[in-house]
Structures are given as C-alpha cells and as structure tokens.
Amino acid sequence: MFLGTYSPRLDEKGRLILPAKFRDELGNGLVLTRGQERCIYVFSQREFERVHEQMRNAPISSRQARDYIRVFLSGASDEMSDKQGRVTIPSALRDYAGLDRDLAVIGAGSRAEIWDSSAWAAYLEEKENAFSETDDNDIPGLL
C-alpha cells in the first residue's frame, strides 16, 4: 500500500528517485500514466493489470468508458527503476502534469501519484476544508 507524502526532485534527465518505502512494491516494474487533476498515476505492474482488467469489463457502447480508456491507456508507459531507485518520467507525461524540478509524490493506497509540488500544495489547500466537512454518507464504501 502506498502511503505518505515525499518531496523528491527531478534531475536534468527527467528522472526522480522513488521513495524508499515504495521501491519494493515497484521493483518488478511500474506503469506511469495520466492521472486525474493533472498528476501522474504510478501503478505496480500487477496493479495496473488489475485496473486494466476492470476497464475491459466496461461496455464498449459507453462513450464515457471509451473516452476514459483512450486517455488513460494512450498515456501509459511501462518503466523499470534503476539500482538507485530512479525512474525516468517520459516528457509527454512531464508536460501533461506540468512537472518542474520540485515534486510531491503521494501515496494513494493502491497507487502513488506524482504532482508538481506547487500544484499539489494548491490542490491540498483547496480540498482540506471539504475533507474536514465530509461525513460518512458522502463517500461510498466508508462506514
């Protein structure tokens, strides 16, 4: 499970050092793809395959499902980290997420997310009040 917030930096080659706590889960390969809210989703290879299998069950007649699958999969890139835990973020994904040098890598349960640090700070500031006011009827699956 991916938890926490980390503040790595992109190097001049577009690489970031994965948080040490994430490396075991991502050591056998990972998939980077477009995330919602202009971040990059980071899945282990196994979790990405599980998510893809769920997508395959969506009806092909659903325009919304087709659109989502196209955007999600067309931006996907399978990667391997090197011995130092570095992974290269493809330039198209860096552009999509507006990544500069300073990043925020957050744990989001079954995936990690990579954000530009200032975009993450703005998002968090905007959402923290709503988070505080959420009751258990607002989120499906929570007791």
Side-chain angles (χ1 to χ4, degrees), residues 2-44:
F2 298 104
L3 303 171
T5 301
Y6 305 87
S7 301
R9 291 183 164 205
L10 271 180
D11 69 13
E12 59 282 343
K13 295 180 181 178
R15 298 176 301 191
L16 78 102
I17 297 174
L18 294 169
K21 289 186 175 186
F22 294 177
R23 292 183 201 164
D24 282 344
E25 180 115 9
L26 300 173
N28 293 326
L30 58 107
V31 177
L32 304 172
T33 192
R34 293 180 191 101
Q36 294 164 303
E37 291 86 33
R38 294 278 178 175
C39 69
I40 298 171
Y41 287 168
V42 182
F43 293 98
S44 68

Side-chain angles (χ1 to χ4, degrees), residues 70-87:
R70 286 174 183 143
V71 171
F72 187 79
L73 294 179
S74 68
S77 177
D78 55 336
E79 303 290 336
M80 286 292 293
S81 59
D82 66 13
K83 291 178 182 172
Q84 289 80 35
R86 296 177 300 195
V87 64

Side-chain angles (χ1 to χ4, degrees), residues 13-132:
K13 295 180 181 178
R15 298 176 301 191
L16 78 102
I17 297 174
L18 294 169
K21 289 186 175 186
F22 294 177
R23 292 183 201 164
D24 282 344
E25 180 115 9
L26 300 173
N28 293 326
L30 58 107
V31 177
L32 304 172
T33 192
R34 293 180 191 101
Q36 294 164 303
E37 291 86 33
R38 294 278 178 175
C39 69
I40 298 171
Y41 287 168
V42 182
F43 293 98
S44 68
Q45 190 73 39
R46 188 176 75 234
E47 180 64 15
F48 187 80
E49 290 168 8
R50 190 189 68 74
V51 169
H52 178 252
E53 193 60 36
Q54 288 178 324
M55 289 178 175
R56 290 181 54 176
N57 293 326
I60 198 165
S61 59
S62 167
R63 177 180 290 280
Q64 186 176 17
R66 289 191 315 268
D67 290 347
Y68 185 88
I69 290 168
R70 286 174 183 143
V71 171
F72 187 79
L73 294 179
S74 68
S77 177
D78 55 336
E79 303 290 336
M80 286 292 293
S81 59
D82 66 13
K83 291 178 182 172
Q84 289 80 35
R86 296 177 300 195
V87 64
T88 300
I89 302 173
S91 62
L93 288 175
R94 291 194 312 264
D95 292 345
Y96 169 79
L99 300 184
D100 200 9
R101 185 157 168 77
D102 295 319
L103 305 177
V105 176
I106 67 162
S110 63
R111 69 178 184 275
E113 297 178 354
I114 302 169
W115 292 73
D116 176 76
S117 64
S118 58
W120 171 246
Y123 176 86
L124 195 56
E125 183 177 333
E126 177 186 331
K127 301 300 178 185
E128 279 183 321
N129 284 337
F131 172 78
S132 296

